Amino acid sequence: MNLSNTDLSRFWSPKVHELSPYVPGEQPKISNLVKLNTNENPYSPSPKALAAMEEQLGDLLRLYPDPNATALRQCLASYIGLTADQVFVGNGSDEVLAHTFQALLQHGQPILIPDISYSFYPVYCGLYSIEKCEVPLSEDLTINVSDYQQPNGGVILPNPNAPTGELLSLDSIRQLLTANANRVVVIDEAYIDFGGQSATQLVPEFDNLLVVQTLSKSRSLAGLRVGFAFGQAHLIEALERVKNSFNSYPLSHEAQAGAIAAIEDEDYFQYTCQANIAQREKLAGQLQALGFSMTNSHANFLFVTHETASAKDICAALRLTGIIVRHLTSSPRIDNYLRISIGSASECELLVQALKELL
Ligand SMILES: *Cc1c(COP(=O)(O)O)cnc(C)c1O
């Protein structure tokens, strides 16, 4: 790069010029907005989690939080049926994923990711100079695990996939793990609680499996920034080594206490997950009646396309009525699709009414 003396970006480290950062869905500061663009949960966090967090707000904040999040890791371990040394926690699963790319996926060979998937993966590849090989989804926008058998530096995919919501069975995950026995396979389960079977039960069996989860979607705590990884102790140790070379105190007192209370409030969790699932199925039927078709989503969003109206036009028209949905244009194969987060019953009703008038 040839920079003149007047270019203030000459102060940047050379690598910074090459980065293409992730662009999150917008968080507009407009009231009365029906916000269906970032897959946040329409239900409040568990009241018990909120109370536990409030308890932390006092003199205790003078002190650093537990750098090892011992109580939270123990809580997660018992919840999942693993041991605490098989659990890693971080500041949102995005941070857990960042450490994963650095700690486990840098082997000088391209990692395999689906061509249509979570758009943060290519960003981490850029940050850590990891080559990627984008494996095309099948014609019906599902992942075919037999496409993931070429030489690689690791495999990462969301299950259910984002933004399609399509779910892989545990048998398929098992096949993926067996075919890539000498590489780490990362399963990003941000949406698993909305109708999938978690791969965490395969952890004792496979030394190359890392499962990543988050409190952001199914526990209504996107604002708290808590994510986890589950894997055998040697994988967790690699993540710990990177984390403790980066930021030893990622989770605050409130985050650790709130996360424990949220995990322990099983009734509330089950209730809100079931409500989201029921609302998803209802909305799917209503949208089909309006001429939309969609992938088979097992997540807290629908991925829809209309028989006549273009996704771009629908998105723009909805916005004028105060409803925001996500139009992803990363690949031409999906640029006529919209990703619509499952809102509350009244938000979904507003969406359906607006679409009826529009179409
Ligand atoms: C939302 C999401 C994440 C990030 O979750 P945070 O824990 O809020 O950082 C990770 N992966 C996928 C596939 C997601 O959709």
Side-chain angles (χ1 to χ4, degrees):
M1 190 139 315
N2 220 337
L3 299 170
S4 76
N5 289 346
T6 55
D7 184 351
L8 290 173
S9 67
R10 73 185 186 280
F11 296 120
W12 296 5
S13 303
K15 172 94 198 171
V16 175
H17 293 275
E18 296 163 21
L19 298 179
S20 18
Y22 178 71
V23 184
E26 50 174 340
Q27 297 286 355
K29 298 280 168 291
I30 307 169
S31 50
N32 294 326
L33 208 63
V34 176
K35 197 173 167 302
L36 305 177
N37 66 330
T38 51
N39 301 342
E40 287 138 332
N41 199 310
Y43 293 93
S44 294
S46 150
K48 291 178 182 165
L50 295 176
M53 286 186 259
E54 259 169 50
E55 262 176 43
Q56 302 292 313
L57 302 178
D59 185 58
L60 181 67
L61 290 183
R62 282 187 309 106
L63 306 178
Y64 281 108
D66 174 5
N68 299 316
T70 312
L72 173 56
R73 287 169 67 187
Q74 189 53 59
C75 163
L76 286 163
S78 351
Y79 185 73
I80 300 288
L82 295 170
T83 53
D85 63 354
Q86 296 173 320
V87 182
F88 179 81
V89 300
N91 198 208
S93 61
D94 284 340
E95 187 188 77
V96 175
L97 289 168
H99 292 332
T100 301
F101 274 75
Q102 193 169 23
L104 299 169
L105 299 177
Q106 274 189 308
H107 294 285
Q109 263 184 304
I111 63 162
L112 305 184
I113 60 178
D115 66 335
I116 294 166
S117 180
Y118 187 37
S119 50
F120 223 133
Y121 304 154
V123 175
Y124 291 132
C125 287
L127 180 60
Y128 297 117
S129 305
I130 299 169
E131 299 260 337
K132 62 180 183 331
C133 169
E134 297 186 309
V135 182
L137 296 186
S138 309
E139 202 58 43
D140 60 357
L141 299 181
T142 60
I143 289 172
N144 183 352
V145 289
S146 54
D147 296 338
Y148 292 74
Q149 303 198 346
Q150 47 197 299
N152 64 68
V155 179
I156 180 164
L157 48 86
N159 191 41
N161 195 12
T164 63
E166 292 278 356
L167 181 74
L168 287 176
S169 68
L170 274 193
D171 276 348
S172 297
I173 303 283
R174 208 183 268 280
Q175 198 183 319
L176 194 61
L177 288 158
T178 308
N180 294 281
N182 289 318
R183 291 299 188 207
V184 172
V185 174
V186 183
I187 307 296
D188 179 352
E189 294 190 335
Y191 302 104
I192 197 70
D193 297 323
F194 299 109
Q197 228 185 333
S198 174
T200 50
Q201 61 182 276
L202 302 180
V203 163
E205 198 181 327
F206 289 95
D207 62 7
N208 59 333
L209 168 63
L210 191 80
V211 180
V212 177
Q213 294 186 356
T214 175
L215 292 188
S216 296
K217 315 285 168 45
S218 59
R219 305 267 176 180
S220 309
L221 285 167
L224 195 61
R225 313 305 305 130
V226 179
F228 336 113
F230 302 100
Q232 291 186 12
H234 57 277
L235 300 184
I236 301 304
E237 185 187 342
L239 295 175
E240 289 290 337
R241 290 174 73 114
V242 167
K243 173 218 141 197
N244 289 326
S245 307
F246 178 79
N247 174 11
S248 309
Y249 298 100
L251 263 64
S252 66
H253 291 287
E254 310 90 274
Q256 295 187 34
I260 292 172
I263 298 295
E264 287 176 347
D265 198 349
E266 181 69 12
D267 288 349
Y268 187 79
F269 168 67
Q270 290 299 341
Y271 164 74
T272 54
C273 284
Q274 290 313 315
N276 273 297
I277 293 168
Q279 188 60 52
R280 175 183 74 211
E281 298 311 310
K282 179 175 177 193
L283 183 62
Q286 289 171 312
L287 295 185
Q288 275 157 356
L290 289 172
F292 285 94
S293 55
M294 58 200 70
T295 54
N296 184 15
S297 174
H298 286 74
N300 67 338
F301 54 80
L302 293 172
F303 196 54
V304 307
T305 185
H306 194 263
E307 55 194 2
T308 52
S310 87
K312 186 164 177 260
D313 292 348
I314 298 173
C315 184
L318 282 176
R319 212 197 148 89
L320 293 176
T321 73
I323 300 174
I324 312 192
V325 299
R326 194 95 192 255
H327 181 218
L328 298 156
T329 51
S330 49
S331 154
R333 283 175 81 192
I334 57 162
D335 70 4
N336 203 28
Y337 277 81
L338 293 172
R339 193 194 68 190
I340 304 178
S341 309
I342 304 305
S344 65
S346 59
E347 287 174 324
C348 291
E349 207 39 56
L350 286 170
L351 170 74
V352 171
Q353 283 314 320
L355 286 171
K356 272 185 186 155
E357 281 163 36
L358 250 155
L359 294 167

